[in-house]
Every structure is written in C-alpha cells, then in structure tokens.
Amino acid sequence: MELPTQTFRVTRADLVRYAGASGDFNPIHWSDRTATKVGLPGVIAHGMFTMALVGRAVTTWAGAADAVVDFNVRFTRPVVVPDTDEGAEVEVSAVIKETTDDGLTRLDITATCLGEKVLSQARATVRTPR
C-alpha cells in the first residue's frame, strides 16, 4: 500500500537557518563558488537536513513523533538548491512493506529531487495506530 506523497520546498534561506541550528557552516551549503570548486553542481542541502525532511514525512504518516521506532537512510545524491525564490523540491513517498503481529509497520521510503533518488535504503519502522 502506498502512502500519500509529501513535497518539501528547500530554499537557500532554509539552509542558512539549518546551518545556524546545526553549527554546520560548510560553504558548500551556501557558496556556489566553493561548491563548484570542489566538483559539486552548486550549493547543496545538508544531508541531515534532507534526512530531517524525510523524518518529518515519516512522523506525519505515523501520526506522532513517538510512534517512530526506527529510521535509517543512506545518502546517494545531493539535493542541489538553486539561488531562486523557488529553491528545490524534495518529494517523499513510501510503501508499507509489512505490518507485524506486534503492531509495527515497516515502510520503504523514496526521496527524490528533480526525479532523481537522493536517498537509498531509506526505511522506517513505526507503531501501527490502534
């Protein structure tokens, strides 16, 4: 069973706010010059910020933050965030793979940006609402 897709917009302003909250001021997250100098296509979102967006989607599907039992991802491709008002969009979808007798549901998650997967092996286990 597929869960409803959730879309998150990511702007450079979001990256600045996340940098302040996380303490990660690496210039690849705000400077096109630095990002391209190290071989990136442009400024990229923090990996943990991307993971947090997916975590937000999982929490929404689960109905509460404390219903999330386990959550894992692998980063496969950066989310490039252009210097525009629109920024980038990350789309998060999931499929219910299994519901156990003890009330746990395993989700296989897909996160994409511009049609390309940005995470692999993204999975979550949530308590099934009763």
Side-chain angles (χ1 to χ4, degrees), residues 2-8 57 60-61 90-95 110-112:
E2 285 190 38
L3 297 174
T5 298
Q6 297 180 56
T7 303
F8 300 94
T60 298
W61 290 319
V90 176
E91 289 191 349
V92 185
S93 59
V95 174
T110 302
T112 61

Side-chain angles (χ1 to χ4, degrees), residues 19-102:
S22 69
D24 181 354
F25 293 99
N26 187 323
I28 64 171
H29 302 303
W30 54 267
S31 168
D32 281 306
R33 188 180 68 229
T34 300
T36 56
K37 188 176 178 180
V38 299
L40 294 167
V43 166
I44 63 170
H46 304 73
M48 294 304 288
F49 180 71
T50 303
M51 186 177 179
L53 295 175
V54 175
R56 186 185 305 171
V58 171
T59 298
T60 298
W61 290 319
D66 64 353
V68 180
V69 175
D70 188 47
F71 175 47
N72 294 288
V73 305
R74 293 215 176 166
F75 303 104
T76 56
R77 181 168 279 125
V79 173
V80 179
V81 182
D83 191 11
T84 63
D85 291 340
E86 295 79 26
E89 281 188 348
V90 176
E91 289 191 349
V92 185
S93 59
V95 174
I96 295 175
K97 291 309 269 187
E98 168 185 37
T99 300
T100 65
D101 291 337
D102 58 347

